[in-house]
Amino acid sequence: MQRRALTLALLATPFALQAAEPVKVGFLVKQAEEPWFQDEWKFAEQAAKEKGFTLVKIGIPNGEKTLAAIDNLAAQKAVGFVICAPDVKLGVAINRAAKRHNLKVMSVDDQLVDGAGKPIADIPHMGISGYEIGKQVGAGLLAEIKARGWKLDEVGVLRVAYDQLPTGRDRTMGAADALKAAGMPAANIIDAPQAKTDTESAFNAANIAFTKNAKFKKWVAFGLNDEAALGAVRAGEGRGIKADAMLAIGIGGSQTALNEFTKPTATGFFGTVLISPKRHGYETAVAVFEWATKGKTPPAVTLTSGVLMTRQNQADIRKQMGL
Ligand code: FCA
């Protein structure tokens, strides 16, 4: 009798061990070095600790690395992943790879599209309300233009543009529209297309635009994120367009913006619309985990909001957002 019980216990052990192995959820981001994505990972890690799963973080700077990362997750027996892809047009290939491996997939920040540029309906998405947040950028710029006593028609408007990414286009168009609605001449709005969404690309794009439009002595600038706005500010500084003649508002509110706010003297980086890496990182990771383990399908689309943060109110605002 005793021997039988022992045998059963030994037989049962491997299964028990297997059942105790933690569930793995991937979190794939296009630009791992960007503070926003570091923050998303941080809050996704927090979710993993609290809910008891393992987070697998992978940087995916291009299409090849993206597909390799999905295969890698499957080999590790992950149950699904959250993704901010390096190119939203990889959507069909990503969806196919996920289905082949039976992995749940949810997008964050950048919504995946099909060959025709339409959002892929069966991939749940959490992103920001791009156009609305862009309008907040515009409103913030208008208030400060007024506070400085600038006349709208003497101000150049630098739209650091990354129009191949729909949320990027929405954000910057929202800002431009808000300025135009308040009377900014459309001809003052100068597009500076950036090749990537980082500071260096924005810097290069802004430099070209400043050279071509030297008639403007005062500038406002914005882009899809803080790095884009900051690139414009740095390019302006290099050409003698300093804090008294430059007014830039970014989108994000992560370390890129905080570094500017903590410099001893104010730069042209006036503010940012703070968005929530906590919601984007924590909630998407939990959503994929619960989808795979409890069959709870995430909502098709969740859009989050933002709030204008400046050097003055940064500490309060970040606290309010739980950051
Ligand atoms: C896009 C941008 C990031 C960040 C995120 C919310 O992915 O490239 O910088 O703004 O949306």
Side-chain angles (χ1 to χ4, degrees), residues 19-303:
E21 214 173 276
V23 167
K24 285 183 182 160
V25 172
F27 205 115
L28 279 42
V29 302
K30 63 180 181 181
Q31 238 153 356
E33 68 286 359
E34 189 182 308
W36 165 263
F37 293 110
Q38 291 287 328
D39 283 350
E40 270 185 349
W41 271 352
K42 182 176 89 189
F43 291 111
E45 283 283 12
Q46 187 187 323
K49 276 211 191 79
E50 286 176 20
K51 304 283 174 184
F53 60 91
T54 297
L55 191 76
V56 183
K57 299 179 290 191
I58 310 177
I60 45 163
N62 57 44
E64 204 181 316
K65 293 229 161 84
T66 302
L67 296 175
I70 298 172
D71 289 343
N72 175 335
L73 287 174
Q76 295 193 48
K77 302 209 165 26
V79 295
F81 59 95
V82 179
I83 186 167
C84 181
D87 180 348
V88 289
K89 293 198 197 76
L90 290 166
V92 171
I94 291 168
N95 208 15
R96 200 183 295 135
K99 290 220 162 80
R100 186 175 63 237
H101 292 304
N102 197 22
L103 293 163
K104 303 290 188 208
V105 52
M106 171 165 190
S107 58
V108 70
D109 304 333
D110 301 353
Q111 188 167 26
L112 295 166
V113 298
D114 63 17
K118 280 223 191 68
I120 298 179
D122 65 344
I123 302 182
H125 175 69
M126 178 183 269
I128 67 169
S129 331
Y131 189 75
E132 283 310 310
I133 285 173
K135 286 206 308 202
Q136 283 173 268
V137 169
L141 291 170
L142 285 162
E144 185 61 16
I145 286 173
K146 203 170 162 201
R148 293 184 182 194
W150 293 359
K151 290 194 202 72
L152 288 181
D153 57 7
E154 63 175 7
V155 178
V157 176
L158 192 73
R159 183 178 81 93
V160 178
Y162 193 71
D163 288 346
Q164 56 270 58
L165 177 62
T167 181
R169 187 179 158 80
D170 290 349
R171 298 175 197 184
T172 55
M173 286 305 184
D177 285 352
L179 290 166
K180 279 193 272 184
M184 179 66 76
N188 290 27
I189 302 178
I190 313 296
D191 285 354
Q194 58 180 163
K196 278 173 64 187
T197 55
D198 58 7
T199 304
E200 192 187 340
S201 305
F203 178 89
N204 293 334
N207 251 328
I208 296 170
F210 287 142
T211 307
K212 285 195 191 155
N213 297 277
K215 66 170 193 247
F216 292 112
K217 304 297 173 215
K218 296 188 176 88
W219 284 91
V220 300
F222 53 84
L224 92 159
N225 58 16
D226 286 336
E227 287 71 17
L230 187 62
V233 169
R234 288 292 102 88
E237 285 164 352
R239 312 179 66 88
I241 308 164
K242 300 274 168 60
D244 60 341
M246 166 59 80
L247 176 52
I249 297 186
I251 294 172
S254 293
Q255 202 55 47
T256 304
L258 299 181
N259 287 345
E260 286 299 295
F261 294 156
T262 48
K263 285 186 174 161
T265 44
T267 70
F269 191 91
F270 175 76
T272 180
V273 176
L274 176 66
I275 52 178
S276 178
K278 187 171 184 185
R279 290 203 59 190
H280 287 219
Y282 191 102
E283 292 182 25
T284 56
V286 171
V288 168
F289 171 65
E290 294 190 339
W291 189 9
T293 58
K294 298 184 186 157
K296 203 170 130 192
T297 314
V301 177
T302 306
L303 297 179

